Amino acid sequence: MKAMILKKIGSMGKNKTPLELADLPIPAPGEDEILIRVSACGVCHTELDEIEGRTPPPRLPVVLGHQVVGWVEKTGARAKKIKAGDRIGVGWIYSACGKCKFCRQGNENLCGDFRATGRDADGGYAQYMTVPEDFAHPIPPIFSDSEAAPLLCAGAIGYRSLRLANLEDGQTLGMTGFGASAHLVLKMARHRFPSSRIFVFARSDKEREFARELGAAWAGDPAEESPEKLDRIIDTTPAWTPVVEALKNLEAGGRLVVNAIRKENLDQEALKQIDYSRHLWLEKEIKSVANVTRRDVRDFLELAARIPIKPEVQEYPLEGANQALLELKERRIRGAKVLRIGQKTKL
Ligand SMILES: [Zn+2]
Ligand SMILES: [Zn+2]
């Protein structure tokens, strides 16, 4: 099968083509696993964190990709819930232990043995992949394969961030950064909290324009002061300056949710600007978001189908993965980037 593989960690500034096209054997599903013929795989900022070593894969080479939509080709001997021919999706959560205190409380995203798709196990930048059947999710029929892909990470993690933000209808919501996840959060928030006004901070004109098109009450540069104090803010940027700016705009008793697996640390110095009285006092809170649970993925897919929320997608062929990642790195973003895979090879 064709796959785009990562062999070496390094900066994309130096190596603009970190992934190589390879011909790999089609993986065989284990007893509790299923084999999926991949049809679409979303491209996520976390892939840049893997490539550049901020959350490095434990073994190389690895197949990246954790927003996978495909068709079940084969099932393992003990996999009984899913059948060949079903359409399913796989998100960032590839497996968790199921036994620790976090797993037992439904917080499998915090499990010490949390394994991520496309990092700790081969993911969807390939024609085929395997996954434990309990970690594969049915895709509502309303979505095309490409539309469903970004819902599996950008959407699910956005859903989790909005849940952790604990927004009430009528409260103001700020969003710093306006990529794949944020644009889905905006659509979701407008539906669930119709009286809440949304303020978007984004660096590029295009992103700000896109935010206004989708119904943001205001969109400005991250360095600007927001026209009013914000009760909740969700940060999806890879940097620290927007976090400091966001704390300044946060209302007393407000909460900032940082939705990033890693920060890039190029502007870590910005943290020294934090002034306790301006940025943190008055009971402001900061909460990070870690991974997703299966419940986040499934609840979000159902909600997205009901509303409905369809992501804006931009498609690339499998071989165009480096191009898509580079555009993401350079913030040439409108909606979500998806690799279209699809071709059938003989088993
Ligand atoms: Zn992701
Ligand atoms: Zn666990």
Side-chain angles (χ1 to χ4, degrees):
M1 67 168 186
K2 281 198 286 182
M4 290 296 279
I5 59 170
L6 176 68
K7 284 184 169 166
K8 213 172 91 208
I9 302 294
S11 153
M12 275 200 78
K14 293 205 186 91
N15 178 9
K16 294 191 167 21
T17 54
L19 306 187
E20 277 175 40
L21 184 65
D23 190 10
L24 302 181
I26 293 173
E31 286 205 319
D32 299 310
E33 293 181 340
I34 54 173
L35 173 70
I36 307 160
R37 174 163 49 86
V38 180
S39 123
C41 184
V43 176
C44 177
H45 198 276
T46 300
E47 268 108 55
L48 297 176
D49 294 324
E50 294 183 53
I51 293 166
E52 298 191 322
R54 289 178 292 278
T55 178
R59 59 167 184 92
L60 293 168
V62 67
V63 180
L64 305 181
H66 57 266
Q67 310 186 83
V68 192
V69 177
W71 301 83
V72 177
E73 194 77 26
K74 239 190 209 173
T75 57
R78 285 196 307 187
K80 300 278 183 224
K81 291 165 230 159
I82 292 176
K83 290 176 198 61
D86 287 356
R87 184 170 72 149
I88 56 96
V90 185
W92 177 243
I93 182 164
Y94 187 85
S95 64
C97 83
K99 299 181 203 109
C100 71
K101 66 175 179 185
F102 297 112
C103 284
R104 280 187 279 121
Q105 290 162 353
N107 297 323
E108 58 191 9
N109 59 312
L110 303 179
C111 174
D113 288 329
F114 181 95
R115 296 181 74 215
T117 311
R119 185 189 65 188
D120 307 313
D122 282 338
Y125 283 25
Q127 288 178 305
Y128 294 87
M129 71 169 278
T130 54
V131 69
E133 78 162 341
D134 286 342
F135 291 81
H137 315 287
I139 301 288
I142 181 171
F143 303 114
S144 71
D145 296 355
S146 286
E147 284 169 344
L151 304 178
L152 290 157
C153 176
I157 193 93
Y159 175 80
R160 186 169 184 86
S161 329
L162 191 57
R163 191 146 72 79
L164 296 184
N166 212 8
L167 182 72
E168 284 171 28
D169 193 25
Q171 288 184 320
T172 47
L173 174 67
M175 301 176 67
T176 58
F178 202 64
S181 180
H183 100 275
L184 291 167
V185 169
L186 196 153
K187 288 185 177 202
M188 201 176 352
R190 289 206 63 212
H191 178 84
R192 294 178 66 196
F193 308 101
S195 309
S196 288
R197 276 164 314 125
I198 302 170
F199 299 76
V200 173
F201 301 85
R203 277 202 313 206
S204 88
D205 262 343
K206 282 223 165 88
E207 288 170 321
R208 293 195 287 262
E209 197 184 293
F210 186 36
R212 283 186 215 105
E213 273 173 42
L214 296 181
W218 176 92
D221 188 84
E224 282 180 62
E225 202 158 313
S226 63
E228 52 192 284
K229 292 285 182 195
L230 304 167
D231 297 304
R232 303 287 184 261
I233 301 178
I234 297 174
D235 166 56
T236 52
T237 67
W240 285 114
T241 310
V243 169
V244 179
E245 300 290 347
L247 288 170
K248 196 179 66 195
N249 290 322
L250 200 58
E251 179 62 287
R255 179 181 281 187
L256 168 67
V257 173
V258 179
N259 173 7
I261 183 166
R262 295 291 183 272
K263 288 286 191 183
E264 285 185 9
N265 290 345
L266 296 170
D267 63 345
Q268 208 168 9
E269 284 289 299
L271 291 174
K272 291 195 181 147
Q273 308 296 314
I274 290 185
D275 174 76
Y276 181 70
S277 70
R278 272 178 85 207
H279 295 98
L280 288 169
W281 192 56
L282 293 172
E283 306 192 345
K284 296 180 184 183
E285 288 177 273
I286 305 179
K287 193 169 181 74
S288 67
V289 184
N291 307 321
V292 285
T293 64
R294 282 171 283 178
R295 207 193 109 197
D296 293 321
V297 179
R298 288 178 187 179
D299 286 357
F300 177 69
L301 284 171
E302 272 171 36
L303 177 74
R306 219 171 39 234
I307 293 180
I309 292 179
K310 291 200 176 181
E312 317 278 326
V313 298
Q314 219 183 337
E315 296 182 336
Y316 301 76
L318 176 62
E319 295 81 353
N322 285 316
Q323 171 77 17
L325 287 161
L326 194 64
E327 288 178 16
L328 195 61
K329 174 93 185 158
E330 292 170 351
R331 308 201 57 75
R332 283 186 273 149
I333 304 167
R334 186 187 162 99
K337 299 180 190 297
V338 173
L339 307 178
R340 275 313 310 243
I341 302 166
Q343 306 93 321
K344 193 159 181 165
T345 49
K346 258 201 144 41
L347 278 181

